[in-house]
Amino acid sequence: MNTEELTFVVGEHRLAATKVLGDDGRAPSVVHLHGLGPTADRHGVRYLLDELAEHGHGSLTFEFSGNGDSTGVLEESTLGIRLAESRAAAAQLGSDEAPVVIGTSMGAHLGAALVPELRPRALVLFVPAAYPAGSDDDRFYDTLAKPGNHPDSPAFAGIREFDGDLLIIAGTHDQVVPPDVVDGYVANAVRARSVDVVELDCDHFVHRWLPAQDTVLNDVHKAILQVVSAHISR
């Protein structure tokens, strides 16, 4: 396994990123989109991405503007800004394979909303949030609506067009995203090749809890590897 540190520019911000590559040097096809919050960064999912690299699946993990080593102020960001940054991150992937999006919380909303553009072969959504239509310009911690099972959510619109493999990792004690949001994702995945929901005995902050759960983590690794490895060709 090899890593490469890089930055890329979106608008006025420079975003910090890490490529996690297998020994074969293949370009990454997996991108991770982290969630909302001042402590969210590109390192929290390395325990998942390192395992994928060991099986030959390279990835890119990065920090949205206002988080980690990226420039910007978190409170000045919006869903619209993060959509643009997500597109730019996906553009760093290789072009030989259809992409995989791993999204956490708000990152799951972004990944689902971008399905019509990215055409991913798989979506892996951890504790997925969903925000209502018309929220793209709402600043975080100010006017942005709380996540919920919003029927008009761009995430659900994207999922309705998704024809790949959908894996949702939910927390049964999620105190941030209501449980019926997962129901919304599943109900709208009408064209998905497969839909699998894994419920974990944890709260919303799954990436703090999961690395120490050896048996559960092994099962999650297997589930992720299964959808990432399937139907690779474009």
Side-chain angles (χ1 to χ4, degrees):
M1 184 185 68
N2 303 294
T3 61
E4 175 187 337
E5 301 299 322
L6 67 149
T7 61
F8 55 97
V9 175
V10 185
E12 61 184 26
H13 297 301
R14 183 173 296 276
L15 308 186
T18 302
K19 288 183 179 180
V20 185
L21 305 172
D23 291 337
D24 60 4
R26 278 177 18 198
S29 66
V30 179
V31 62
H32 176 254
L33 311 177
H34 68 67
L36 176 63
T39 61
D41 62 27
R42 69 188 190 275
H43 308 295
V45 293
R46 282 292 302 274
Y47 73 102
L48 300 173
L49 304 185
D50 290 357
E51 179 73 12
L52 285 177
E54 293 293 338
H55 289 85
H57 301 288
S59 62
L60 176 101
T61 177
F62 75 103
E63 288 149 351
F64 290 107
S65 57
N67 281 93
D69 297 320
S70 296
T71 63
V73 178
L74 178 59
E75 291 78 7
E76 295 177 358
S77 193
T78 65
L79 285 171
I81 290 172
R82 287 198 166 186
L83 282 166
E85 293 172 349
S86 299
R87 291 186 191 97
Q92 309 298 316
L93 302 178
S95 58
D96 293 339
E97 301 174 3
V100 173
V101 177
I102 300 178
T104 300
S105 191
M106 178 180 283
H109 169 95
L110 297 168
L114 288 172
V115 161
E117 298 176 47
L118 301 184
R119 309 308 307 179
R121 69 180 190 266
L123 289 173
V124 180
L125 307 182
F126 282 86
V127 291
Y131 297 88
S135 299
D136 284 0
D137 295 327
D138 295 342
R139 289 195 174 188
F140 299 160
Y141 308 116
D142 184 8
T143 56
L144 180 63
K146 292 182 179 180
N149 189 3
H150 303 287
D152 64 348
S153 176
F156 295 160
I159 285 292
R160 286 194 291 273
E161 296 193 30
F162 179 59
D163 59 2
D165 298 302
L166 174 62
L167 173 63
I168 297 176
I169 313 292
T172 57
H173 308 294
D174 195 324
Q175 72 277 43
V176 176
V177 178
D180 63 350
V181 175
V182 171
D183 298 335
Y185 274 94
V186 172
N188 283 282
V190 292
R191 297 180 58 200
R193 187 165 43 226
S194 67
V195 178
D196 189 17
V197 178
V198 176
E199 294 187 340
L200 303 182
D201 187 24
C202 67
D203 64 12
H204 187 72
F205 301 100
V206 57
H207 297 308
R208 300 177 187 173
W209 176 85
L210 185 54
Q213 312 301 316
D214 291 344
T215 302
V216 177
L217 178 58
N218 186 56
D219 291 341
V220 171
H221 278 317
K222 289 180 179 178
I224 294 174
L225 184 60
Q226 181 175 349
V227 299
V228 171
S229 300
H231 308 284
I232 289 179
S233 300
R234 282 190 177 274

